[in-house]
Amino acid sequence: MGFDWREIFTASMVLFAVIDIVGSIPIIVDLRSKVGHIQSEKASIVACIIMIAFLFVGEEILKLIGINASSFAVAGSFVLFFLALEMILGIRLYKEDNPSTASIVPIAFPLIAGAGTMTTILSLRAEYEKINIIFAIIINIIVVFAVLKSSSKIEKLLGDNGLSVIRKIFGVILLAIAVKLFGANVKGLFI
């Protein structure tokens, strides 16, 4: 099949909703105030490497530990479901340790390339060509880099209410994706 703009666009939107970099601006601003400088380039490059590596070796790792892709996708649908609930309801289900630096941990991993992102990449791999997913990852990393670089400006521009509305919209999109992912893979558990 190969290169497909529709697949790239869809995969990009799914990853954008899961990564939720715009909704993470309050976290990024808080980290900047705690640790001073955020290394945007380093965080973006490391997150990109993690995501592309997982695209290629993620399924093999699962096979190695005896888990099929359907089981992982169903488990991932639950992760995405709870991430979506966090976004929509404004609650915090997942608590992170206090960071000492803000580049690779916690920005590259788990904020950008976390469990939800990894699950989504494997799920996308079941539906789309790898080349299109790689383009989607790169597009998202460019957006992530731009947001990290200009997070304070974006925060001032959108304000708390604007960030909250965007977060809730992408939460609903993510919830629909989680339901679709569950429905598409739950039959594979019983085969």
Side-chain angles (χ1 to χ4, degrees):
M1 227 169 146
F3 189 82
D4 182 348
W5 282 109
R6 190 191 60 78
E7 283 191 7
I8 292 170
F9 178 76
T10 306
S12 295
M13 289 306 295
V14 170
L15 284 171
F16 186 76
V18 172
I19 294 170
D20 185 32
I21 194 66
V22 175
S24 299
I25 288 174
I27 298 166
I28 294 164
V29 170
D30 185 51
L31 283 170
R32 183 176 281 132
S33 69
K34 286 179 186 170
V35 298
H37 176 67
I38 291 176
Q39 296 171 311
S40 308
E41 299 88 356
K42 190 175 180 182
S44 301
I45 291 168
V46 170
C48 187
I49 290 167
I50 291 170
M51 291 161 69
I52 291 173
F54 198 77
L55 174 66
F56 287 99
V57 298
E59 200 166 337
E60 285 70 29
I61 292 170
L62 291 181
K63 285 178 186 171
L64 190 67
I65 57 176
I67 298 172
N68 67 9
S70 292
S71 299
F72 194 79
V74 169
S77 72
F78 286 114
V79 172
L80 296 178
F81 179 81
F82 289 115
L83 283 172
L85 285 182
E86 280 186 351
M87 292 165 73
I88 295 166
L89 302 175
I91 56 175
R92 198 85 180 130
L93 299 172
Y94 174 71
K95 306 245 184 309
E96 295 159 12
D97 298 331
N98 288 332
S100 56
T101 61
S103 58
I104 295 174
V105 177
I107 293 180
F109 182 84
L111 196 64
I112 300 166
T117 307
M118 301 305 184
T119 303
T120 304
I121 287 170
L122 273 191
S123 305
L124 290 171
R125 186 177 162 183
E127 292 184 47
Y128 302 123
E129 295 287 325
K130 286 180 189 169
I131 187 70
N132 298 325
I133 299 170
I134 290 170
F135 274 107
I137 289 170
I138 292 169
I139 289 166
N140 272 277
I141 291 300
I142 292 167
V143 171
V144 162
F145 175 74
V147 170
L148 288 174
K149 272 293 190 199
S150 57
S151 57
S152 55
K153 292 175 189 166
I154 294 170
E155 184 191 29
K156 288 175 188 165
L157 181 71
L158 294 176
D160 290 339
N161 290 336
L163 289 173
S164 178
V165 168
I166 289 171
R167 193 172 174 90
K168 287 180 186 347
I169 290 168
F170 279 101
V172 172
I173 292 168
L174 196 55
L175 193 60
I177 292 164
V179 170
K180 181 184 176 210
L181 187 59
F182 179 83
N185 289 283
V186 73
K187 292 173 237 131
L189 297 179
F190 304 106
I191 295 173

